[in-house]
């Protein structure tokens, strides 16, 4: 009797273990990609509530163009937050740089490319100014950037003279309104479809190589069925997105800029010494200093980078509107900070990703767009976004307490 029980157990246990491993992998994966699932849920919800209008090709393209500047800011903001800082000045800096670029390109008649380069350089100088006070004088970033919010908003008004500046050269405007299409012709645009196909192939190859590498070194890998299911779902999402762009006007220039930024900053944060130092400082500044990390230098360059990205966001926004105005940049800092926290950045620092910030920004963009299509007033839109931010941070705090950190 005992031997039979043992034999039966030997037959059942491997199956049970396999099923348990499969379920564990799926649940772990879902937990790691919770923010992506949240984005899908929000998209599906508003697709239903708007009778499919949200997923029309023109609207999908508009989502990218209308939220491009916030996504650019979110990339820099999440890096600042990971290091344990905050930047409240990015909206004012974006407005200031937009005004300066208007003077360069419209009033002074400089070539459009020179106006952009000079504007980005001034944005970096603004970041260096704020980084100096934070890194070398030791004033908290909250205070420095709060002062910067007032200073650069005032300077924007001074540069504009409380008036609007426009119209900008067509090449400048392409930064916020341009599209890359018609290279190979076709309707939908063949070039856009080819880019989407290349993206899907690159994703599959990269994921397969990563899996093979883990197996080679004896690391635990997810079940093949779940691995393939994920690739199919993600590939389908990319295919739908690129087809929608191809069916409208092609690839927005703003999307190209964002793709380059995500690629570059993803490498910086995941594979560079500078990126590892940022995470180390945010995790434990004192320990980072004891380990030899030059924390002041890292802080300084973080704010230089934030100034540069704020300038780029200001240029994109100005190009989209074809106008540099006194109200530009209002609320940009709140949107960028919300995107970073909704995307998984920790309030205490040390945690966060570029991809998470982008997805957080897209969630905000879908909320804005979906509620606008439904005719919901701006007052309720603000309330909903505030509630989403509160819940995202509450979820982060809950996870920290549950893990005992």
């Amino acid at each position: 009797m005992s031997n039979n029980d043992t034999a039966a157990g030997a037959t059942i246990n491997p199956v049970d273990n396999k099923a348990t491993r499969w379920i564990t992998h799926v649940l772990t994966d879902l937990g790691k990609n919770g923010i992506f699932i949240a984005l899908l849920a929000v998209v599906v919800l508003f697709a239903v509530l708007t009778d499919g209008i949200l997923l029309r090709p023109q609207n999908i393209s508009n989502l990218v163009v209308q939220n491009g500047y916030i996504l650019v800011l979110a990339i820099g903001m999440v890096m600042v937050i990971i290091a344990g800082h905050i930047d409240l000045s990015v909206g004012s800096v974006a407005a200031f740089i937009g005004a300066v670029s208007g003077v360069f390109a419209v009033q002074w008649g400089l070539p459009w490319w020179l106006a952009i380069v000079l504007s980005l350089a001034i944005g970096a100088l603004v970041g260096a100014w704020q980084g100096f006070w934070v890194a070398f004088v030791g004033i908290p970033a909250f205070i420095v950037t709060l002062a910067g919010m007032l200073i650069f908003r005032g300077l924007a008004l001074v540069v504009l003279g409380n008036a609007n500046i426009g119209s900008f050269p067509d090449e400048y405007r392409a930064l916020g309104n341009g599209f890359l299409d018609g290279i190979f012709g076709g309707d939908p645009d063949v070039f856009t479809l080819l880019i989407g196909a290349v993206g899907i192939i690159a994703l599959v190859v990269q994921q397969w190589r990563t899996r093979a590498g883990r197996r080679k070194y004896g690391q635990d890998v997810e079940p093949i069925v779940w691995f393939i299911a994920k690739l199919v779902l993600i590939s389908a999402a990319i295919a739908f997105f690129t087809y929608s762009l191809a069916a409208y006007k092609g690839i927005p220039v703003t999307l190209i800029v964002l793709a380059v930024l995500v690629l570059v900053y993803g490498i910086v944060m995941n594979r560079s010494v500078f990126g590892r130092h940022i995470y180390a400082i945010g995790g434990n500044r004192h320990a980072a200093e004891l380990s030899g990390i030059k924390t002041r230098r890292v802080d300084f360059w973080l704010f230089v980078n934030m100034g540069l990205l704020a300038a780029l966001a200001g240029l994109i926004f100005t190009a989209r509107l074809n106008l540099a105005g006194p109200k530009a940049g209002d609320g940009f800092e709140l949107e960028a900070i919300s995107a970073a926290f909704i995307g998984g950045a920790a309030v205490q620092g040390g945690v966060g990703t570029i991809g998470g910030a982008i997805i957080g920004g897209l969630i905000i963009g879908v909320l804005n767009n979906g509620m606008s299509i439904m005719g919901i007033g701006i007052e309720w839109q603000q309330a909903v976004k505030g509630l989403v931010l509160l819940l995202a941070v509450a979820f982060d705090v809950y996870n920290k307490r549950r893990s005992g950190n």
Side-chain angles (χ1 to χ4, degrees):
M1 187 72 170
S2 173
N3 291 337
N4 290 340
D5 289 342
T6 302
T11 304
I12 295 172
N13 282 342
V15 178
D16 289 344
N17 288 338
K18 187 175 181 179
T20 302
R21 280 184 62 250
W22 201 94
I23 294 172
T24 300
H25 269 295
V26 172
L27 293 178
T28 301
D29 231 11
L30 292 176
K32 290 179 179 178
N33 297 282
I35 185 62
F36 183 70
I37 295 172
L39 173 61
L40 291 179
V42 171
V43 169
V44 171
L45 173 64
F46 280 104
V48 173
L49 294 177
T50 61
D51 295 326
I53 296 177
L54 182 79
L55 296 181
R56 289 179 181 174
Q58 180 177 352
N59 197 62
I60 289 176
S61 182
N62 287 340
L63 272 172
V64 175
V65 174
Q66 291 172 0
N67 295 282
Y69 58 93
I70 294 299
L71 299 179
V72 171
L73 289 175
I75 292 172
M77 188 64 72
V78 74
M79 296 171 68
V80 170
I81 290 173
I82 289 171
H85 299 299
I86 200 75
D87 193 336
L88 301 177
S89 68
V90 292
S92 296
V93 173
F96 172 61
I97 297 302
V100 168
S101 70
V103 172
F104 289 155
V106 179
Q107 295 185 352
W108 291 5
L110 296 180
W112 65 270
W113 60 268
L114 182 57
I116 290 176
V117 171
L118 290 176
S119 298
L120 292 174
I122 292 174
L125 289 175
V126 168
W129 161 264
Q130 300 197 117
F132 167 78
W133 293 103
V134 174
F136 300 113
V137 180
I139 301 176
F142 179 88
I143 301 300
V144 171
T145 59
L146 179 60
M149 181 173 66
L150 301 174
I151 292 170
F152 296 108
R153 175 61 63 182
L155 289 178
L157 296 176
V158 170
V159 172
L160 291 169
N162 272 329
N164 296 323
I165 297 179
S167 306
F168 287 80
D170 290 341
E171 297 87 351
Y172 181 106
R173 293 176 58 193
L175 186 61
N177 282 317
F179 292 86
L180 190 62
D181 67 337
I183 295 177
F184 299 138
D187 186 17
D189 183 58
V190 174
F191 178 74
T192 303
L193 295 176
L194 286 175
I195 293 297
V198 170
I200 292 173
I201 293 171
L203 171 71
V204 172
V205 171
Q206 186 269 332
Q207 290 294 315
W208 193 267
R209 290 181 63 184
T210 300
R211 177 185 172 85
R214 289 176 178 171
R215 293 189 65 182
K216 180 180 178 181
Y217 289 102
Q219 298 177 358
D220 196 22
V221 295
E222 58 198 337
I224 187 65
V225 175
W226 176 242
F227 175 76
I228 293 175
K230 280 200 311 178
L231 279 182
V232 170
L233 289 174
I234 296 173
S235 298
I238 295 174
F240 176 78
F241 178 70
T242 52
Y243 179 81
S244 298
L245 295 181
Y248 183 52
K249 290 184 177 180
I251 304 174
V253 173
T254 301
L255 180 60
I256 297 173
V257 173
L258 278 171
V260 172
L261 291 177
V262 169
L263 178 63
V264 170
Y265 282 97
I267 294 173
V268 168
M269 293 301 289
N270 296 322
R271 301 190 179 183
S272 75
V273 174
F274 183 71
R276 290 195 292 271
H277 286 177
I278 293 173
Y279 280 107
I281 291 171
N284 190 320
R285 177 172 292 269
H286 184 60
E289 291 173 346
L290 292 176
S291 67
I293 296 175
K294 297 179 179 179
T295 57
R296 292 184 178 183
R297 181 180 297 179
V298 173
D299 288 339
F300 176 77
W301 287 110
L302 266 177
F303 280 93
V304 171
N305 177 70
M306 188 71 256
L308 183 65
L309 290 178
L312 179 58
L315 294 174
I316 291 174
F317 183 76
T318 303
R320 187 173 75 85
L321 294 184
N322 192 26
L323 187 74
K327 291 294 184 181
D330 283 353
F332 283 15
E333 60 282 337
L334 301 180
E335 299 272 6
I337 293 170
S338 297
F341 283 131
I342 291 172
V347 177
Q348 298 86 356
V351 177
T353 62
I354 300 297
I358 293 295
I359 293 177
L362 289 174
I363 289 176
I364 293 175
V366 172
L367 287 173
N368 287 335
N369 188 265
M371 289 188 288
S372 295
I373 293 173
M374 294 173 63
I376 297 175
I378 188 67
E379 65 280 2
W380 283 108
Q381 292 186 34
Q382 297 290 348
V384 169
K385 287 188 292 184
L387 180 60
V388 170
L389 174 60
L390 179 63
L391 292 175
V393 175
F395 182 72
D396 173 64
V397 172
Y398 168 75
N399 280 338
K400 292 288 189 303
R401 289 177 178 173
R402 188 178 62 175
S403 60
N405 294 334

